[in-house]
Amino acid sequence: MADVDLSEPEKVYILHSVQENLREDGRGCEDFRHMEVETGLISNTNGSARVRLASTDVLVGIKVQLTPVDPKKPNVGRIEFFLDCSANATPAFEGRGGEGLASEITAMLTRSYSCFSAIDYTSLCLLPGQQCWLLYIDILLLECGGNLFDAVSIAVKAALFNLRIPNVTMTKDEGGIELDVSDDPFDFKRLDVSGAPVIVTVNKIGHQHVVDASEKEEACSLAKVMLGITEKGTVTAMKKEGSGSLDSESISEMIESAKNVGIELNKCLLNILKEEEAKIEEPVGFLR
Amino acid sequence: MPTDTRRITGPETSRSPYDYCQIEISKEENQNELIKSDKKRKDGRLAAQLRPIFLKANVISQARGSSYIEMGQTKVICAVYGPREVMRREDFSLKGQLTCDFKFTTFSCRQRRQHQQDNQEKDLSVQMLEALEPAVCLHKYPKSQINIYATVLQNDGSALSAAIMCASVALATAGIEMYDLVLASSLGVLNTVLLVDPTLQEEENIANETGKSPQNAGTMTLAFLPSLNQVSAMTSDGQFLFDMINKSMQQCIENCQKLYPVLQQCLVEDVKEKANLTHA
């Protein structure tokens, strides 16, 4: 992540402002920053989305591919996450610099989506025991402005909402079943994302905790808790990060606020995505 | 160990036979559930009972500190090297650096593992580091690094918590200054049943259950600093209802407190042994 050098007085200022529930940019402790979500930007993908959360910028493209099923799980499709930390975001990502962060984020995403209620994995299987869809979810970090995990997970959910999987007709042939993938762009099925989780990161700053921390606030925080939360409030993954430790009561408080924020965030996101779809507008993309 | 693929005239990829017979196994298992009618688990434990632990410090003579732990059939060996100089100049830091390397041996699981660290092992290394870092006084070791290597010799569930405790004892025997010992405990949750210190079989069964939309199905690992009463790491996999998280967390902390005397006794034994050696 981009280096933020904060002096001691600056840190104290942030710490005190969080204590007063009025953060340095005027938000309360459980408020998100301004967010822009747009789907269907890239025509070469089956589903895509871009999320801009203040100065954090994430682009997600999903491509689907037919593949033999995993013999361990013969009735379900699969998803795979790949994250590319572009050196445009920060020079520190140059070469292999972003690899550690990338594997951390993809591990957290894989874990949040590994629970079967997240998306309907059985609908991704075409022929049980033989063929299924494999979703390649490629994430590109264009700019880092704090709270990467949340922004990435929101973008992934939006892209899954936008995903159009081509319909497949199966015909019985002698010697097997023939699969025919439709090349009509309007002949597709959608994926139900109502159970898909978003990640909510709660940073501990002083005695208080905040969601959607900016880069400066992240520099003041020694420990954070990340949770994958669905619209119903179930937790699909949890992880504590950072060099500090926490007492159990403050963890309880933190996951409580993560739950409240997460449920609200899921609802808002789904509403906005539906609204966006209803309107027929030229995509704005990067020409803003 | 590098393998020369050109010399082996087999198929490019191969799969373990267990991949194909696993479906049969899991069917059989679901019939007799995780907890049998006499309230005991498959291995005869109660739901809230830990497995017996064997813990020994100083098992690798060339390492600065080391230890070996057995929790039932889970066996982990851990070595600590350092503090030693940081070689690369750009890595200079006034705070010491801690590195963790978590590795399953190729023969530790039912399926053979690769020599190279895979994604799961990398993830577990990071989780181990998260658990141990808050306990080590890194500011006492400027410009230096401390390396921890944990190797799972046999995996029968709860490998991460075993590795964390093993590493914490190894750090203590290495004489690294710490605020506290780190204890860790795992928990498997299925609906309303909490299974303490789950075996590999139980972990797998719970992972299979997630397909059938139960309320809770997952595992949680928590690391705890007992005398500071702080949680240093906490991870969960699978699906948890919200209330269950708090309940499982409390259960994990309780288990960690039960384990504290075991680690203390191991360290005392180690000191006694060293004292005997110097007298003799």
Side-chain angles (χ1 to χ4, degrees):
Chain A
M1 266 169 254
D3 278 325
V4 210
D5 279 326
L6 287 183
S7 62
E8 270 320 300
E10 277 175 302
K11 281 187 181 171
V12 171
Y13 177 72
I14 289 173
L15 207 118
H16 284 181
S17 62
V18 167
Q19 217 73 16
E20 302 292 325
N21 195 19
L22 182 69
R23 289 149 75 176
E24 39 129 24
D25 46 9
R27 286 182 288 158
C29 284
E30 291 189 5
D31 295 342
F32 258 71
R33 290 171 290 180
H34 177 72
M35 196 186 326
E36 284 165 31
V37 182
E38 200 176 6
T39 55
L41 287 167
I42 305 162
S43 54
N44 277 333
T45 59
N46 298 88
S48 62
R50 174 179 175 240
V51 165
R52 191 171 171 84
L53 177 64
S55 57
T56 303
D57 207 334
V58 182
L59 185 64
V60 174
I62 305 180
K63 286 229 185 221
V64 297
Q65 195 176 309
L66 277 173
T67 180
V69 292
D70 182 358
K72 273 189 251 170
K73 292 169 187 164
N75 329 312
V76 291
R78 283 180 285 164
I79 56 175
E80 271 180 41
F81 294 96
F82 294 94
L83 192 134
D84 183 19
C85 297
S86 158
N88 289 344
T90 144
F93 288 160
E94 203 195 329
R96 309 183 66 174
E99 244 173 39
L101 180 69
S103 68
E104 237 174 84
I105 296 180
T106 46
M108 187 65 192
L109 280 172
T110 315
R111 277 171 43 190
S112 331
Y113 275 90
S114 65
C115 121
F116 276 75
S117 56
I119 52 175
D120 186 6
Y121 285 99
T122 43
S123 77
L124 292 176
C125 185
L126 293 168
L127 274 173
Q130 292 181 46
Q131 289 285 319
C132 68
W133 285 114
L134 170 59
L135 311 186
Y136 284 109
I137 304 183
D138 293 300
I139 306 154
L140 180 65
L141 285 186
L142 292 166
E143 205 177 327
C144 303
N147 207 13
L148 280 176
F149 283 78
D150 300 17
V152 167
S153 74
I154 291 166
V156 167
K157 187 168 175 174
L160 283 173
F161 177 84
N162 181 244
L163 183 65
R164 279 127 214 254
I165 303 171
N167 278 327
V168 176
T169 43
M170 284 174 263
T171 41
K172 216 167 211 169
D173 215 6
E174 78 254 30
I177 295 167
E178 201 169 281
L179 296 175
D180 187 26
V181 181
S182 162
D183 47 13
D184 178 2
F186 295 101
D187 185 21
F188 59 79
K189 64 172 182 179
R190 303 282 292 268
L191 202 62
D192 179 24
V193 293
S194 57
V198 292
I199 298 172
V200 177
T201 312
V202 188
N203 284 264
K204 184 92 184 167
I205 299 178
H207 295 294
Q208 289 284 334
H209 52 261
V210 299
V211 297
D212 188 26
S214 65
E215 243 180 348
K216 279 185 194 167
E217 284 166 334
E218 276 178 354
C220 299
S221 154
L222 281 179
K224 55 185 172 185
V225 175
M226 289 183 277
L227 288 105
I229 294 179
T230 65
E231 201 175 334
K232 287 183 195 138
T234 42
V235 178
T236 58
M238 177 171 62
K239 188 184 173 191
K240 180 238 145 210
E241 210 191 69
S243 58
S245 56
L246 299 160
D247 66 277
S248 62
E249 273 156 48
S250 64
I251 291 184
S252 298
E253 282 165 23
M254 283 160 89
I255 54 179
E256 180 76 39
S257 15
K259 183 188 91 170
N260 296 336
V261 171
I263 293 174
E264 196 59 33
L265 185 62
N266 271 309
K267 275 187 193 143
C268 287
L269 180 63
L270 214 58
N271 281 342
I272 285 172
L273 289 170
K274 279 178 185 157
E275 245 171 61
E276 194 211 358
E277 202 180 36
K279 278 189 279 181
I280 307 162
E281 268 180 31
E282 276 291 295
V284 184
F286 298 90
L287 308 169
R288 193 165 41 93
Chain B
M1 201 168 62
T3 48
D4 187 355
T5 45
R6 281 164 299 182
R7 285 197 185 200
I8 301 165
T9 51
E12 270 179 30
T13 54
S14 61
R15 287 201 163 267
S16 154
Y18 290 115
D19 278 359
Y20 297 91
C21 64
Q22 201 164 32
I23 311 150
E24 314 284 318
I25 297 171
S26 59
K27 256 185 211 158
E28 222 172 86
E29 244 117 60
N30 287 339
Q31 284 166 0
N32 39 11
E33 299 215 328
L34 288 173
I35 290 192
K36 290 185 279 187
S37 50
D38 56 349
K39 289 191 177 171
K40 281 190 176 167
R41 296 200 239 168
K42 273 248 167 78
D43 53 1
R45 281 185 292 159
L46 293 171
Q49 199 179 347
L50 292 155
R51 284 180 287 186
I53 288 184
F54 175 85
L55 188 61
K56 172 124 178 61
N58 266 327
V59 286
I60 302 171
S61 58
Q62 290 184 333
R64 183 75 185 268
S66 61
S67 78
Y68 171 75
I69 191 170
E70 272 182 29
M71 284 161 60
Q73 291 297 308
T74 300
K75 293 163 190 164
V76 183
I77 191 164
C78 181
V80 171
Y81 291 88
R84 54 187 174 189
E85 192 185 349
V86 178
M87 279 306 164
R88 285 174 51 198
R89 255 184 79 201
E90 52 264 42
D91 286 345
F92 173 84
S93 143
L94 272 177
K95 248 177 103 183
Q97 290 164 25
L98 197 65
T99 65
C100 263
D101 200 59
F102 183 98
K103 188 80 193 83
F104 285 108
T105 50
T106 49
F107 46 80
S108 62
C109 305
R110 189 161 54 174
Q111 294 213 6
R112 184 174 181 271
R113 291 223 170 221
Q114 293 300 313
H115 286 282
Q116 274 210 328
Q117 221 181 19
D118 63 18
N119 282 335
Q120 192 201 359
E121 288 164 335
K122 276 181 195 158
D123 194 28
L124 290 172
S125 307
V126 173
Q127 288 176 28
M128 220 177 124
L129 183 66
E130 298 278 340
L132 296 166
E133 211 180 355
V136 182
C137 307
L138 285 171
H139 59 278
K140 302 257 184 173
Y141 301 96
K143 298 191 266 182
S144 44
Q145 59 174 341
I146 299 160
N147 309 107
I148 304 169
Y149 302 98
T151 310
V152 179
L153 302 175
Q154 193 176 339
N155 179 18
D156 189 26
S158 316
L160 177 63
S161 47
I164 291 171
M165 281 197 281
C166 194
S168 129
V169 171
L171 279 169
T173 50
I176 306 286
E177 289 189 53
M178 288 160 88
Y179 295 109
D180 202 348
L181 278 173
V182 187
L183 299 170
S185 162
S186 298
L187 194 68
V189 181
L190 188 61
N191 289 326
T192 52
V193 184
L194 300 179
L195 296 176
V196 165
D197 193 10
T199 61
L200 190 64
Q201 187 97 74
E202 285 163 344
E203 279 179 358
E204 276 174 1
N205 280 7
I206 288 169
N208 286 336
E209 286 293 322
T210 45
K212 293 158 203 155
S213 66
Q215 294 172 308
N216 297 299
T219 49
M220 176 189 270
T221 302
L222 183 137
F224 187 66
L225 313 175
S227 48
L228 298 175
N229 197 21
Q230 294 260 307
V231 175
S232 68
M234 181 176 65
T235 57
S236 82
D237 275 314
Q239 184 175 312
F240 281 84
L241 286 187
F242 190 71
D243 300 330
M244 203 42 140
I245 290 226
N246 273 323
K247 204 174 156 192
S248 329
M249 204 165 77
Q250 292 311 326
Q251 176 80 58
C252 280
I253 291 176
E254 218 173 272
N255 292 332
C256 287
Q257 274 157 345
K258 277 185 207 158
L259 291 168
Y260 195 28
V262 180
L263 268 72
Q264 281 176 319
Q265 193 200 340
C266 165
L267 289 173
V268 170
E269 291 286 318
D270 180 52
V271 172
K272 274 186 193 161
E273 214 168 275
K274 274 180 191 160
N276 283 342
L277 278 178
T278 44
H279 278 296

